[in-house]
């Protein structure tokens, strides 16, 4: 089945997942979320993919939240169903054994911000504008943002972002720890691709363990995490050399 | 005198909570004054947000006190914690805009606010270690959670004050302003926050607090349910209608 809201391709072991709704903003509609789930599963199953790159490049936006017109008339139960669908995408991204690099090429708002938080690494272009304006719309996010953002940038900065609904540029996002790196101008896409290709060339088994171990450190006691690390170490003799490209 | 230690000024929908404290007032009396003000603010729907500040570079100054017995000391700690929990869960945004020395009780209080803005000359710390004391109104716990354990230990062990720049770097402070612009900039920011949905602000703050100390999966479930409940509110319809109609929203908090 073809994709309507995104383009996917595989090149040099990188599985591209490019949001392209055909409009100025890539809205996280129900259709887009379902397509993302299908596309991630496809890249996950593809032995030629070592790393997934998620972006709205070369468009103006990375992603914004749900379609407000659609969400306007949600009942609480429809809200519950929508929240569940979005969270299931982010759980799938977390459980995916392949690293997911988020390339925040531009406007990233609301649910789009939550999509960015579900990526393993975030690289922003200098055109980034990021905000979480739910309180301007009379809602909070239902896509894990209220939980992941405080854990990433600290409670107080997260509160400022939620309360103010203000947009933050790339430098501010970097200062807050919301993104890991900012690359300006023409070099942006080259550097993003270079990082994704570098990661994609590493042994898949080691990447999967690295992602799983770091993710589990969030809610695990240090002793238990260290025990899991020992279990992982026992697998290393079978992880093999870097994948041939 | 007590009125000067802790008083409120209305600025439209924002209340400015001035907490200079004073040389004559003890911690318990000061916290009792604060609790009375908070009880009043929590009930007033017309108050949408609170701006916490000092006066003339003085913030939460209190007279030195030394509880005489262990039960008395523990009782004071429990009371102080209760008041700062009430501040933290007021249900309205509470932004601190601070200058001068923010130490001891002042820093404990700042840590219970939604976030902190500071003047370039502000300094922060817990110097009471030299007297054989530690912050006990939730300060050790909120500090470690906000800035991480290493920075928290550095501040608590050394008793040294850090500059506003350093406080910004370690995430104790969100933004720094020049002395002349701090209060106005802070008021503008709080007023902007108060134009948002009071219901969404309240639920958002509650979900952030409730989810922070539990496992991520359960926390996200909590958030999802709170998100769904928003769709039973007036504010959600008004917020989205006004967005689609490109006009300012008229939120009621219902």
């Amino acid at each position: 089945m073809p994709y309507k809201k995104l383009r996917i391709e595989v090149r040099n072991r990188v599985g591209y997942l490019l949001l392209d709704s055909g409009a100025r903003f890539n809205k996280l509609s129900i259709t887009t979320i379902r397509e993302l789930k299908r596309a991630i599963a496809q890249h996950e199953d593809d032995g030629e993919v070592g790393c997934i790159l998620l972006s709205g490049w070369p468009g103006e936006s990375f992603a914004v939240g749900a379609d407000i017109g659609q969400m306007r008339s949600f009942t609480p139960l429809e809200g519950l169903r929508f929240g569940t669908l979005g969270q299931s995408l982010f759980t799938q991204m977390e459980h995916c054994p392949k690293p997911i690099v988020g390339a925040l090429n531009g406007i990233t708002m609301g649910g789009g911000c939550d999509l960015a938080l579900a990526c393993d690494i975030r690289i922003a272009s200098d055109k980034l504008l990021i905000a979480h304006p739910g309180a301007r719309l009379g809602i909070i996010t239902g896509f894990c943002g209220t939980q992941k953002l405080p854990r990433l940038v600290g409670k107080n900065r997260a509160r400022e972002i939620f309360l103010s609904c203000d947009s933050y540029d790339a430098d501010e996002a970097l200062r807050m720890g919301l993104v890991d790196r900012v690359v300006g101008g023409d070099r942006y896409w080259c550097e993003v691709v270079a990082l994704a290709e570098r990661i994609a060339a590493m042994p898949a088994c080691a990447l999967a363990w690295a992602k799983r171990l770091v993710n589990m450190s969030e809610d695990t006691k240090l002793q238990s995490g260290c025990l899991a690390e020992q279990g992982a170490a026992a697998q290393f003799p079978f992880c093999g050399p870097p994948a041939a490209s | 005198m007590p009125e000067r230690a802790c008083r409120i000024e209305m600025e439209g929908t924002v209340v400015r909570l001035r907490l200079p404290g004073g040389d004559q007032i003890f911690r318990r009396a000061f916290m009792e004054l604060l609790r009375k003000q908070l009880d009043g603010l929590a009930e007033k729907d017309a108050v949408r947000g609170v701006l916490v500040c000092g006066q003339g570079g003085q913030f939460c100054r209190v007279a030195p006190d030394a509880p005489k017995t262990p039960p008395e000391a523990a009782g004071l700690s429990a009371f102080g914690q209760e008041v700062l929990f009430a501040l933290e869960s007021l249900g309205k945004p509470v932004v601190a805009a601070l200058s001068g020395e923010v130490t001891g009780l002042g820093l404990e209080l700042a840590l219970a606010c939604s976030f902190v803005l500071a003047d370039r000359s502000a300094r922060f710390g817990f110097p009471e270690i030299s007297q054989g004391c530690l912050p006990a109104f939730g300060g050790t716990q909120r500090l470690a959670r906000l800035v991480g354990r290493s920075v928290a230990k550095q501040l608590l062990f050394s008793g040294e004050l850090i500059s506003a720049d350093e406080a910004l770097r370690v995430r104790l402070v969100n933004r720094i302003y020049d002395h002349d612009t701090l209060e106005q900039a802070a008021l503008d920011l709080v007023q902007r926050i108060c134009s948002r949905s009071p219901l969404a602000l309240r639920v958002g703050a509650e979900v952030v607090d409730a989810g922070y100390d539990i496992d991520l999966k359960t926390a996200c479930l909590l958030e999802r349910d709170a998100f769904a409940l928003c769709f039973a509110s007036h504010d959600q319809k008004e917020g989205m209608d006004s967005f689609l109609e490109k006009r300012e929203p008229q939120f009621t908090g219902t």
Side-chain angles (χ1 to χ4, degrees), chain B residues 69-102:
Chain B
T69 65
E72 196 190 329
L76 178 61
S77 167
F79 178 66
Q81 289 182 2
E82 184 190 311
V83 176
L84 292 188
F85 276 125
L87 175 67
E88 193 175 61
S89 56
L90 188 66
K92 307 168 200 271
V94 181
V95 178
L98 306 175
S99 42
E101 284 193 1
V102 180

mmCIF file of all heavy atoms in Angstrom, chain B residues 69-102:
data_model
loop_
_atom_site.group_PDB
_atom_site.id
_atom_site.type_symbol
_atom_site.label_atom_id
_atom_site.label_comp_id
_atom_site.label_asym_id
_atom_site.label_seq_id
_atom_site.Cartn_x
_atom_site.Cartn_y
_atom_site.Cartn_z
ATOM 1 N N THR B 69 14.419 21.735 70.721
ATOM 2 C CA THR B 69 14.383 20.274 70.866
ATOM 3 C C THR B 69 14.226 19.635 69.488
ATOM 4 O O THR B 69 13.724 20.278 68.559
ATOM 5 C CB THR B 69 13.174 19.843 71.723
ATOM 6 O OG1 THR B 69 11.975 20.191 71.015
ATOM 7 C CG2 THR B 69 13.188 20.534 73.080
ATOM 8 N N PRO B 70 14.632 18.377 69.364
ATOM 9 C CA PRO B 70 14.425 17.681 68.089
ATOM 10 C C PRO B 70 12.968 17.689 67.619
ATOM 11 O O PRO B 70 12.722 17.959 66.442
ATOM 12 C CB PRO B 70 14.948 16.270 68.378
ATOM 13 C CG PRO B 70 15.995 16.475 69.429
ATOM 14 C CD PRO B 70 15.467 17.584 70.294
ATOM 15 N N PRO B 71 11.971 17.411 68.494
ATOM 16 C CA PRO B 71 10.593 17.443 67.996
ATOM 17 C C PRO B 71 10.188 18.822 67.479
ATOM 18 O O PRO B 71 9.461 18.930 66.492
ATOM 19 C CB PRO B 71 9.747 17.070 69.232
ATOM 20 C CG PRO B 71 10.687 16.353 70.130
ATOM 21 C CD PRO B 71 12.028 16.958 69.893
ATOM 22 N N GLU B 72 10.693 19.847 68.129
ATOM 23 C CA GLU B 72 10.357 21.197 67.691
ATOM 24 C C GLU B 72 10.954 21.460 66.297
ATOM 25 O O GLU B 72 10.306 22.036 65.422
ATOM 26 C CB GLU B 72 10.905 22.211 68.709
ATOM 27 C CG GLU B 72 10.309 23.597 68.585
ATOM 28 C CD GLU B 72 11.059 24.618 69.443
ATOM 29 O OE1 GLU B 72 11.589 24.224 70.509
ATOM 30 O OE2 GLU B 72 11.142 25.781 69.021
ATOM 31 N N ALA B 73 12.187 21.000 66.114
ATOM 32 C CA ALA B 73 12.857 21.196 64.821
ATOM 33 C C ALA B 73 12.146 20.414 63.711
ATOM 34 O O ALA B 73 11.920 20.928 62.609
ATOM 35 C CB ALA B 73 14.320 20.745 64.925
ATOM 36 N N ALA B 74 11.758 19.155 64.021
ATOM 37 C CA ALA B 74 11.059 18.348 63.020
ATOM 38 C C ALA B 74 9.690 18.937 62.713
ATOM 39 O O ALA B 74 9.235 18.920 61.566
ATOM 40 C CB ALA B 74 10.916 16.908 63.514
ATOM 41 N N GLY B 75 9.038 19.475 63.741
ATOM 42 C CA GLY B 75 7.711 20.081 63.555
ATOM 43 C C GLY B 75 7.785 21.298 62.648
ATOM 44 O O GLY B 75 6.934 21.496 61.782
ATOM 45 N N LEU B 76 8.819 22.118 62.834
ATOM 46 C CA LEU B 76 8.989 23.295 61.987
ATOM 47 C C LEU B 76 9.222 22.862 60.539
ATOM 48 O O LEU B 76 8.663 23.427 59.597
ATOM 49 C CB LEU B 76 10.176 24.133 62.496
ATOM 50 C CG LEU B 76 10.515 25.377 61.678
ATOM 51 C CD1 LEU B 76 9.335 26.354 61.655
ATOM 52 C CD2 LEU B 76 11.764 26.068 62.224
ATOM 53 N N SER B 77 10.044 21.835 60.367
ATOM 54 C CA SER B 77 10.319 21.318 59.027
ATOM 55 C C SER B 77 9.025 20.839 58.370
ATOM 56 O O SER B 77 8.742 21.162 57.214
ATOM 57 C CB SER B 77 11.337 20.177 59.131
ATOM 58 O OG SER B 77 11.414 19.467 57.920
ATOM 59 N N ALA B 78 8.215 20.079 59.108
ATOM 60 C CA ALA B 78 6.957 19.554 58.547
ATOM 61 C C ALA B 78 6.025 20.688 58.154
ATOM 62 O O ALA B 78 5.393 20.649 57.094
ATOM 63 C CB ALA B 78 6.282 18.647 59.576
ATOM 64 N N PHE B 79 5.977 21.719 59.003
ATOM 65 C CA PHE B 79 5.096 22.851 58.696
ATOM 66 C C PHE B 79 5.574 23.591 57.450
ATOM 67 O O PHE B 79 4.795 23.913 56.550
ATOM 68 C CB PHE B 79 5.027 23.805 59.901
ATOM 69 C CG PHE B 79 4.189 25.014 59.642
ATOM 70 C CD1 PHE B 79 2.826 24.889 59.436
ATOM 71 C CD2 PHE B 79 4.771 26.279 59.581
ATOM 72 C CE1 PHE B 79 2.048 26.011 59.170
ATOM 73 C CE2 PHE B 79 4.002 27.392 59.320
ATOM 74 C CZ PHE B 79 2.640 27.259 59.114
ATOM 75 N N GLY B 80 6.880 23.850 57.380
ATOM 76 C CA GLY B 80 7.436 24.542 56.218
ATOM 77 C C GLY B 80 7.189 23.756 54.937
ATOM 78 O O GLY B 80 6.830 24.320 53.900
ATOM 79 N N GLN B 81 7.368 22.446 55.011
ATOM 80 C CA GLN B 81 7.131 21.601 53.832
ATOM 81 C C GLN B 81 5.680 21.675 53.378
ATOM 82 O O GLN B 81 5.383 21.758 52.186
ATOM 83 C CB GLN B 81 7.511 20.146 54.144
ATOM 84 C CG GLN B 81 9.011 19.939 54.282
ATOM 85 C CD GLN B 81 9.375 18.492 54.542
ATOM 86 O OE1 GLN B 81 8.520 17.623 54.584
ATOM 87 N NE2 GLN B 81 10.664 18.228 54.719
ATOM 88 N N GLU B 82 4.779 21.666 54.363
ATOM 89 C CA GLU B 82 3.350 21.715 54.048
ATOM 90 C C GLU B 82 3.005 23.012 53.302
ATOM 91 O O GLU B 82 2.282 22.996 52.306
ATOM 92 C CB GLU B 82 2.591 21.623 55.380
ATOM 93 C CG GLU B 82 1.094 21.554 55.278
ATOM 94 C CD GLU B 82 0.487 21.728 56.673
ATOM 95 O OE1 GLU B 82 0.938 21.040 57.612
ATOM 96 O OE2 GLU B 82 -0.427 22.563 56.821
ATOM 97 N N VAL B 83 3.556 24.128 53.766
ATOM 98 C CA VAL B 83 3.262 25.411 53.131
ATOM 99 C C VAL B 83 3.836 25.444 51.712
ATOM 100 O O VAL B 83 3.183 25.915 50.779
ATOM 101 C CB VAL B 83 3.803 26.588 53.976
ATOM 102 C CG1 VAL B 83 3.570 27.918 53.254
ATOM 103 C CG2 VAL B 83 3.159 26.612 55.348
ATOM 104 N N LEU B 84 5.038 24.910 51.536
ATOM 105 C CA LEU B 84 5.628 24.955 50.191
ATOM 106 C C LEU B 84 4.961 23.956 49.239
ATOM 107 O O LEU B 84 4.908 24.184 48.040
ATOM 108 C CB LEU B 84 7.143 24.756 50.250
ATOM 109 C CG LEU B 84 7.897 25.929 50.907
ATOM 110 C CD1 LEU B 84 9.399 25.760 50.765
ATOM 111 C CD2 LEU B 84 7.472 27.285 50.341
ATOM 112 N N PHE B 85 4.427 22.854 49.782
ATOM 113 C CA PHE B 85 3.597 21.977 48.933
ATOM 114 C C PHE B 85 2.339 22.717 48.488
ATOM 115 O O PHE B 85 1.886 22.575 47.353
ATOM 116 C CB PHE B 85 3.214 20.683 49.660
ATOM 117 C CG PHE B 85 4.269 19.610 49.576
ATOM 118 C CD1 PHE B 85 4.784 19.014 50.719
ATOM 119 C CD2 PHE B 85 4.744 19.176 48.336
ATOM 120 C CE1 PHE B 85 5.755 18.023 50.643
ATOM 121 C CE2 PHE B 85 5.722 18.185 48.251
ATOM 122 C CZ PHE B 85 6.228 17.610 49.405
ATOM 123 N N ALA B 86 1.788 23.516 49.407
ATOM 124 C CA ALA B 86 0.596 24.305 49.057
ATOM 125 C C ALA B 86 0.936 25.309 47.953
ATOM 126 O O ALA B 86 0.145 25.542 47.035
ATOM 127 C CB ALA B 86 0.053 25.019 50.285
ATOM 128 N N LEU B 87 2.135 25.891 48.016
ATOM 129 C CA LEU B 87 2.573 26.826 46.969
ATOM 130 C C LEU B 87 2.727 26.087 45.647
ATOM 131 O O LEU B 87 2.248 26.530 44.607
ATOM 132 C CB LEU B 87 3.908 27.465 47.383
ATOM 133 C CG LEU B 87 4.575 28.377 46.349
ATOM 134 C CD1 LEU B 87 3.748 29.639 46.125
ATOM 135 C CD2 LEU B 87 5.985 28.770 46.779
ATOM 136 N N GLU B 88 3.379 24.921 45.699
ATOM 137 C CA GLU B 88 3.653 24.152 44.485
ATOM 138 C C GLU B 88 2.361 23.686 43.810
ATOM 139 O O GLU B 88 2.272 23.641 42.594
ATOM 140 C CB GLU B 88 4.506 22.925 44.867
ATOM 141 C CG GLU B 88 5.123 22.200 43.706
ATOM 142 C CD GLU B 88 6.043 21.082 44.215
ATOM 143 O OE1 GLU B 88 5.557 20.166 44.904
ATOM 144 O OE2 GLU B 88 7.238 21.146 43.936
ATOM 145 N N SER B 89 1.356 23.366 44.613
ATOM 146 C CA SER B 89 0.117 22.832 44.036
ATOM 147 C C SER B 89 -1.023 23.835 44.113
ATOM 148 O O SER B 89 -2.177 23.475 44.246
ATOM 149 C CB SER B 89 -0.255 21.533 44.743
ATOM 150 O OG SER B 89 -0.359 21.753 46.131
ATOM 151 N N LEU B 90 -0.677 25.114 43.985
ATOM 152 C CA LEU B 90 -1.678 26.180 44.052
ATOM 153 C C LEU B 90 -2.708 26.049 42.929
ATOM 154 O O LEU B 90 -3.831 26.523 43.053
ATOM 155 C CB LEU B 90 -0.961 27.539 43.982
ATOM 156 C CG LEU B 90 -1.789 28.791 44.230
ATOM 157 C CD1 LEU B 90 -2.293 28.828 45.671
ATOM 158 C CD2 LEU B 90 -0.967 30.051 43.943
ATOM 159 N N GLY B 91 -2.301 25.429 41.821
ATOM 160 C CA GLY B 91 -3.238 25.289 40.705
ATOM 161 C C GLY B 91 -3.153 26.454 39.734
ATOM 162 O O GLY B 91 -3.892 26.524 38.772
ATOM 163 N N LYS B 92 -2.254 27.390 40.008
ATOM 164 C CA LYS B 92 -2.023 28.526 39.122
ATOM 165 C C LYS B 92 -0.524 28.659 38.917
ATOM 166 O O LYS B 92 0.251 28.283 39.804
ATOM 167 C CB LYS B 92 -2.550 29.825 39.754
ATOM 168 C CG LYS B 92 -4.001 29.755 40.207
ATOM 169 C CD LYS B 92 -4.348 30.958 41.088
ATOM 170 C CE LYS B 92 -5.566 30.689 41.935
ATOM 171 N NZ LYS B 92 -6.829 31.031 41.336
ATOM 172 N N PRO B 93 -0.119 29.205 37.767
ATOM 173 C CA PRO B 93 1.324 29.379 37.564
ATOM 174 C C PRO B 93 1.912 30.335 38.599
ATOM 175 O O PRO B 93 1.309 31.359 38.901
ATOM 176 C CB PRO B 93 1.422 30.005 36.164
ATOM 177 C CG PRO B 93 0.071 29.964 35.580
ATOM 178 C CD PRO B 93 -0.918 29.695 36.646
ATOM 179 N N VAL B 94 3.067 29.973 39.156
ATOM 180 C CA VAL B 94 3.762 30.829 40.121
ATOM 181 C C VAL B 94 5.186 31.026 39.612
ATOM 182 O O VAL B 94 5.982 30.087 39.592
ATOM 183 C CB VAL B 94 3.818 30.175 41.522
ATOM 184 C CG1 VAL B 94 4.521 31.100 42.506
ATOM 185 C CG2 VAL B 94 2.423 29.833 42.030
ATOM 186 N N VAL B 95 5.485 32.238 39.148
ATOM 187 C CA VAL B 95 6.808 32.512 38.599
ATOM 188 C C VAL B 95 7.562 33.400 39.571
ATOM 189 O O VAL B 95 7.022 34.396 40.053
ATOM 190 C CB VAL B 95 6.690 33.203 37.218
ATOM 191 C CG1 VAL B 95 8.060 33.548 36.660
ATOM 192 C CG2 VAL B 95 5.919 32.309 36.249
ATOM 193 N N ALA B 96 8.806 33.051 39.875
ATOM 194 C CA ALA B 96 9.619 33.870 40.775
ATOM 195 C C ALA B 96 10.537 34.763 39.948
ATOM 196 O O ALA B 96 11.147 34.304 38.985
ATOM 197 C CB ALA B 96 10.442 32.974 41.693
ATOM 198 N N ALA B 97 10.599 36.050 40.298
ATOM 199 C CA ALA B 97 11.512 36.999 39.645
ATOM 200 C C ALA B 97 12.399 37.571 40.740
ATOM 201 O O ALA B 97 11.946 38.374 41.543
ATOM 202 C CB ALA B 97 10.720 38.100 38.950
ATOM 203 N N LEU B 98 13.666 37.145 40.786
ATOM 204 C CA LEU B 98 14.470 37.389 41.970
ATOM 205 C C LEU B 98 15.746 38.169 41.700
ATOM 206 O O LEU B 98 16.383 38.009 40.656
ATOM 207 C CB LEU B 98 14.830 36.047 42.611
ATOM 208 C CG LEU B 98 13.617 35.145 42.909
ATOM 209 C CD1 LEU B 98 14.073 33.801 43.431
ATOM 210 C CD2 LEU B 98 12.682 35.816 43.890
ATOM 211 N N SER B 99 16.105 39.005 42.667
ATOM 212 C CA SER B 99 17.393 39.694 42.609
ATOM 213 C C SER B 99 18.043 39.619 43.981
ATOM 214 O O SER B 99 17.421 39.174 44.949
ATOM 215 C CB SER B 99 17.202 41.145 42.148
ATOM 216 O OG SER B 99 16.084 41.711 42.753
ATOM 217 N N GLY B 100 19.289 40.033 44.046
ATOM 218 C CA GLY B 100 20.003 40.003 45.324
ATOM 219 C C GLY B 100 20.345 38.583 45.739
ATOM 220 O O GLY B 100 20.445 37.678 44.917
ATOM 221 N N GLU B 101 20.494 38.406 47.046
ATOM 222 C CA GLU B 101 20.859 37.087 47.558
ATOM 223 C C GLU B 101 19.621 36.230 47.786
ATOM 224 O O GLU B 101 18.721 36.619 48.525
ATOM 225 C CB GLU B 101 21.662 37.225 48.854
ATOM 226 C CG GLU B 101 23.078 37.654 48.601
ATOM 227 C CD GLU B 101 23.964 37.491 49.831
ATOM 228 O OE1 GLU B 101 23.465 37.014 50.876
ATOM 229 O OE2 GLU B 101 25.139 37.860 49.740
ATOM 230 N N VAL B 102 19.578 35.095 47.120
ATOM 231 C CA VAL B 102 18.467 34.155 47.287
ATOM 232 C C VAL B 102 19.037 32.943 47.997
ATOM 233 O O VAL B 102 19.648 32.064 47.387
ATOM 234 C CB VAL B 102 17.870 33.774 45.917
ATOM 235 C CG1 VAL B 102 16.713 32.808 46.102
ATOM 236 C CG2 VAL B 102 17.422 35.022 45.168
#
